[in-house]
Amino acid sequence: MPQKIHIRLAAHRINPSIAVNRRVPKIFTPGQVITEQNEFMRGHGTYEEEGFLKSSVAGVKEQVNNLISIRPLKSRYNGEVGDVVVGRVTEVQQKRWKVDTNSRLDSVLLLSSVNLPGGELRRRSAEDEHMMRQYLQEGDLISAEVQSVYSDGSLSLHTRSLKYGKLSQGILVKVFPSLIKRSKTHFHNFYVGASIILGNNGFIWIYPTVSNAEDNAGGFVQNLEQVVSRPERETIGRLRNCILALIQSKMMLYDTSILYAFEESQKYSVAELLIPEAMVDVAILTQDRLSMLENS
Amino acid sequence: MALCEAEKTFVLHGVEENFRVDGREREDYRPIELETNIVSHAFGSARLRLANTDVLVAVKIEVDVPYPERPKEGKLEFFVDCSANATPDFEGRGGEDLAIEISNSLSAAYKSPEVFDLTKLCILKGHKCWKIFVDILLLECGGNLYDAVSIAVKAALWDTRIPLVKSVTVDGNNVDMEVSDELHDCQKLDVTAAPIMVTVCKIGEQCIVDPNVAEELCSVGAVVIAVSKDKFSTVLQIGSGSLHPQTLLECLQMGEKVAQRLSEALTETLSEINPNKNQDVGFLK
């Protein structure tokens, strides 16, 4: 039975803000004076003009001793070495792939920084160069780690670990990179039957948990025959909608917040989670549980 | 944007399972947000947001001379502008083909006198008529453009107020008309029969409505069906794929059913609009 079609007036829009009785940080806009005193150092997102320190982006202030920086609310991804990212191959070039990782410039994945299928310590020969498109082609999604940052800010990636590589069936959700909380691990296997890769670049990959850690040759195999079962599919869809609910209310994403949102959302069907009221409700319930956890 | 094979497989299996990536069934629609009278200097306007698809429609009216072969009818024209803000593909002349396709489909859908009565726009037979320009601006593309545009156009036409003509005097070849001074003296258009377009997308062996971008990339072909009340006003195919006659029939049935539901929902929403209450939201909130 198909659901009712919802057309709502903009005047009846739900306010997604969940900052009911908590302090809302002040948001600086570009050009706004942050401080008139000049004993401060200018950090990222700021500039000096007429002796004043001004904001160059829209965001919140962060101060470490004398250093003032403005963290933008929305921005492209600024990579750091060691970050886990999810990206999409946009181009195959000589000895390298270009990967879209939501940064200002496309990232680079060198042929020499991947584990080739089936080969341990294989020399990357001319033959491999010709075969590059068979390993990864345009449109393929990969998980990788940032190996180094070039001087122009573009990233060099590597997938030299069995946990990285080509991604198979699942859903990609794109969020602002600033909403991903940095943590020890960005790979999570939830007990509910799905796994998630929280890319630091704001790309989130949700996929069915692979039961046995089979040696899939450095993650270059895609199983297109496998049909994801209905319960797994529901879990994945619910996770996706919960993540969208959390980002609508600008909540940080990490394993606990996503799992709490998943648990609080059980009273709704997956499709109902697209309705703004349900999304805000889930975000508020999650926020309550998180603050309870904080206070206990 | 490109999708890899595995992602396409996931979408495809989901459609077969009647459980799409966001949990919707095949005939489910995403929630829509609508605001009318959003452009204050237009005669009528509407903005519609369907997930990530964002459309702004404004209606402008001018006095014009009717076509000699149809002296009793006014004119209705559609113009679509694809903003490069929507996707970088629209930069330069990139969006032109799509714009022409959408405006042509709208003109075709509104052509029949049963759908939209152009004779109501006549001021003086053979001499003066109203010409309605419907300008459509695509601000963001998140899939399912045709449906979003058609609903927004219907809402904008519903919102349109045509100034009341007090008197028309003919003096030789000169035609003088006087428009009412009262700002609120105006008439509304009858849009009860204005068509609603539904895109039925074929993915694998099944058909779905309201595809998102990923689903559009997976589809082999789509049929856009314009439904006015309980009649089809236009049917057109987009994409390169071909359709089996039986599939086309199924698409038509599905499209009609969904269009009825959409039309009901839209009528209900439009009836909630209260001109005496300030319901303005605008772009900044």
Side-chain angles (χ1 to χ4, degrees):
Chain A
M1 194 41 209
Q3 281 201 342
K4 187 178 171 286
I5 297 177
H6 294 264
I7 304 183
R8 89 172 51 220
L9 289 178
H12 301 162
R13 188 186 296 166
I14 305 292
N15 179 8
S17 166
I18 50 161
V20 189
N21 44 14
R22 58 187 63 235
R23 204 176 58 83
V24 183
K26 188 180 174 196
I27 291 175
F28 289 88
T29 50
Q32 190 176 355
V33 176
I34 304 166
T35 172
E36 300 188 354
Q37 297 150 333
N38 47 13
E39 68 254 34
F40 293 105
M41 281 158 38
R42 64 190 156 87
H44 288 297
T46 61
Y47 66 100
E48 253 178 60
E49 197 178 67
E50 295 158 8
F52 300 146
L53 195 60
K54 292 180 176 178
S55 164
S56 65
V57 292
V60 289
K61 186 169 91 171
E62 277 182 351
Q63 189 167 359
V64 182
N65 295 330
N66 262 347
L67 177 73
I68 292 183
S69 50
I70 300 287
R71 197 159 65 105
L73 296 174
K74 293 182 186 178
S75 75
R76 289 271 169 182
Y77 167 60
N78 291 313
E80 283 169 40
V81 174
D83 280 357
V84 174
V85 296
V86 174
R88 194 184 289 279
V89 175
T90 56
E91 221 177 301
V92 184
Q93 296 178 336
Q94 283 274 309
K95 293 188 188 173
R96 72 188 65 202
W97 289 276
K98 285 276 175 180
V99 185
D100 170 27
T101 52
N102 197 26
S103 9
R104 293 191 178 83
L105 297 163
D106 274 354
S107 309
V108 177
L109 176 66
L110 290 169
L111 179 61
S112 57
S113 37
V114 300
N115 274 348
L116 288 174
E120 279 153 38
L121 299 171
R122 187 160 95 206
R123 284 199 58 190
R124 281 152 195 89
S125 53
E127 200 179 313
D128 281 331
E129 252 178 73
H130 295 304
M131 300 269 284
M132 274 180 67
R133 192 167 266 117
Q134 285 175 20
Y135 306 144
L136 287 173
Q137 60 175 337
E138 289 89 349
D140 279 352
L141 279 169
I142 55 160
S143 62
E145 193 179 293
V146 178
Q147 191 167 36
S148 60
V149 184
Y150 293 124
S151 55
D152 61 353
S154 65
L155 309 174
S156 167
L157 308 176
H158 80 90
T159 63
R160 304 202 72 165
S161 158
L162 281 182
K163 57 181 179 178
Y164 303 127
K166 187 147 98 176
L167 301 173
S168 187
Q169 293 195 39
I171 315 179
L172 181 73
V173 184
K174 294 178 183 172
V175 305
F176 305 136
S178 50
L179 289 177
I180 306 278
K181 190 170 175 177
R182 287 174 182 278
S183 60
K184 256 187 213 150
T185 172
H186 287 260
F187 290 78
H188 300 288
N189 289 327
F190 291 138
Y191 71 91
V192 291
S195 302
I196 202 164
I197 304 175
L198 289 166
N200 281 110
N201 58 341
F203 286 9
I204 299 172
W205 180 249
I206 315 169
Y207 60 107
T209 305
V210 188
S211 50
N212 53 331
E214 63 209 53
D215 51 329
N216 47 6
F220 272 94
V221 178
Q222 285 182 336
N223 189 353
L224 299 182
E225 303 299 307
Q226 175 209 1
V227 180
V228 180
S229 69
R230 174 75 185 237
E232 275 180 315
R233 210 169 264 286
E234 278 179 24
T235 311
I236 291 174
R238 187 178 289 278
L239 278 173
R240 172 196 181 271
N241 290 355
C242 286
I243 289 173
L244 292 179
L246 293 180
I247 62 166
Q248 185 190 257
S249 299
K250 306 283 182 295
M251 286 176 64
M252 293 298 275
L253 297 176
Y254 51 103
D255 50 346
T256 321
S257 72
I258 294 172
L259 204 57
Y260 280 180
F262 183 88
E263 284 165 6
E264 296 299 341
S265 75
Q266 291 298 332
K267 58 179 167 180
Y268 299 105
S269 78
V270 181
E272 274 167 1
L273 285 172
L274 295 171
I275 301 164
E277 280 94 346
M279 290 169 84
V280 174
D281 186 34
V282 168
I284 290 174
L285 290 170
T286 311
Q287 178 65 50
D288 286 351
R289 262 184 83 177
L290 286 172
S291 51
M292 255 158 63
L293 188 77
E294 237 170 67
N295 298 334
S296 65
Chain B
M1 197 182 87
L3 283 186
C4 70
E5 284 306 313
E7 280 176 284
K8 283 186 182 168
T9 315
F10 189 82
V11 173
L12 192 90
H13 288 323
V15 170
E16 236 131 73
E17 185 81 40
N18 202 7
F19 189 88
R20 289 153 70 179
V21 282
D22 46 7
R24 284 183 291 153
E25 288 179 19
R26 286 194 283 266
E27 289 184 28
D28 274 346
Y29 234 79
R30 291 170 288 183
I32 299 171
E33 193 183 270
L34 180 73
E35 182 175 1
T36 56
N37 200 9
I38 191 166
V39 185
S40 54
H41 49 265
F43 286 81
S45 58
R47 184 212 189 186
L48 181 129
R49 216 179 145 79
L50 166 75
N52 276 334
T53 306
D54 210 334
V55 183
L56 177 66
V57 179
V59 177
K60 186 173 75 177
I61 299 175
E62 271 180 14
V63 177
D64 201 9
V65 181
Y67 295 115
E69 66 271 25
R70 282 193 292 265
K72 274 197 273 185
E73 288 182 9
K75 295 175 183 176
L76 178 66
E77 257 181 38
F78 296 94
F79 178 77
V80 180
D81 183 21
C82 298
S83 158
N85 283 335
T87 100
D89 300 340
F90 289 163
E91 220 172 301
R93 303 170 74 95
E96 220 161 67
D97 290 345
L98 181 70
I100 290 171
E101 212 175 306
I102 294 179
S103 56
N104 283 350
S105 69
L106 279 169
S107 319
Y110 274 86
K111 199 151 201 169
S112 157
E114 280 178 49
V115 166
F116 191 78
D117 192 4
L118 286 173
T119 54
K120 291 261 172 65
L121 300 176
C122 179
I123 301 169
L124 184 67
K125 184 183 163 189
H127 291 281
K128 282 227 186 296
C129 70
W130 294 112
K131 181 173 188 180
I132 301 183
F133 295 92
V134 182
D135 291 322
I136 300 146
L137 181 63
L138 305 181
L139 295 167
E140 207 178 333
C141 294
N144 206 14
L145 273 179
Y146 285 86
D147 302 27
V149 166
S150 76
I151 300 169
V153 166
K154 184 165 176 171
L157 286 174
W158 177 87
D159 185 48
T160 302
R161 288 171 185 82
I162 296 181
L164 220 55
V165 179
K166 269 210 312 221
S167 63
V168 187
T169 49
V170 187
D171 178 20
N173 272 339
N174 273 349
V175 180
D176 267 340
M177 54 182 267
E178 202 180 333
V179 176
S180 172
D181 299 328
E182 274 294 312
L183 203 61
H184 297 288
D185 260 358
C186 44
Q187 64 183 98
K188 282 201 150 194
L189 292 166
D190 175 29
V191 291
T192 43
I196 281 192
M197 294 203 262
V198 175
T199 313
V200 182
C201 230
K202 186 162 185 265
I203 295 183
E205 295 301 309
Q206 303 288 346
C207 298
I208 57 159
V209 296
D210 191 19
N212 61 23
V213 181
E215 284 164 338
E216 275 181 357
L217 285 169
C218 295
S219 91
V220 283
V223 189
V224 179
I225 299 153
V227 181
S228 149
K229 284 186 172 165
D230 54 351
K231 296 195 178 84
F232 295 117
S233 85
T234 353
V235 177
L236 75 143
Q237 197 194 345
I238 49 176
S240 52
S242 59
L243 290 171
H244 195 269
Q246 187 59 39
T247 321
L248 183 65
L249 219 60
E250 278 165 25
C251 286
L252 290 176
Q253 279 166 357
M254 187 173 182
E256 198 207 342
K257 224 164 55 186
V258 175
Q260 301 298 0
R261 285 167 53 213
L262 260 180
S263 160
E264 268 168 38
L266 180 64
T267 317
E268 199 188 310
T269 310
L270 290 177
S271 69
E272 280 173 33
I273 295 175
N274 183 353
N276 302 322
K277 223 163 75 184
N278 184 15
Q279 289 181 315
D280 294 351
V281 177
F283 285 95
L284 292 174
K285 271 188 221 164

